[in-house]
Amino acid sequence: ITLSLDDGAGVTFDARLSVSGSGTITRTTGGLGVQGGASNLINRNEWLTFSMETLNVNGGAVTFTGFTKITPTSLETNENERGYLSTDTSESNQFQILTANGETTISGTRLAFSVLGTENNSANSSFRIDKLAASFSTTAVPEPSAFLLIGLVGILAGGRKYFRPRS
């Protein structure tokens, strides 16, 4: 998935979200899941991994500073039904637990992460990923013509000091 973005201060860029998974990735109106298991949801032993890259940067510099929020859907609110956010595709490296539908702030700075299926095999404990939020830092770089204009103004202002007519 590639989005063209504009920071409003002259920096434009494309952000490409890459998604890989433990099986064929499915997209429904409810979000992303994995084909197989229950209704193309993310189930036990299934995972999706998300990463981001920036491309076609114009007018400055862009740094991807991390994923900030995630919104699961179809996740029941039962304490035994949950998903994991992990630094890779194993439960042992989890850093956060998803326990309910709705927007969840992702802890720490995450440039890439995995969403893992739940710890039990109940169909109700499966889920999809509906939304992700990410953050970017941009720095605008003036065009060369702007530097020329600044230099010209400096020369004119400085030249006035030396070439002032005598009275």
Side-chain angles (χ1 to χ4, degrees), residues 5 13-16 52-57 62-64 136:
L5 303 170
F13 61 100
D14 292 337
R16 179 179 296 156
M52 184 77 72
E53 66 180 318
T54 56
L55 309 158
N56 305 318
V57 177
V62 175
T63 302
F64 171 58
F136 299 87

Side-chain angles (χ1 to χ4, degrees), residues 68 70 83-87 93-99 104-108 110 114:
T68 57
I70 186 168
Y84 297 107
L85 300 183
S86 178
T87 57
N93 291 321
Q94 66 175 300
F95 61 86
Q96 194 167 346
I97 297 174
L98 296 175
T99 57
T104 300
T105 299
I106 297 174
S107 64
R110 306 296 171 187
S114 294

Side-chain angles (χ1 to χ4, degrees), residues 9-23:
V11 180
T12 61
F13 61 100
D14 292 337
R16 179 179 296 156
L17 173 66
S18 296
V19 183
S20 59
S22 56

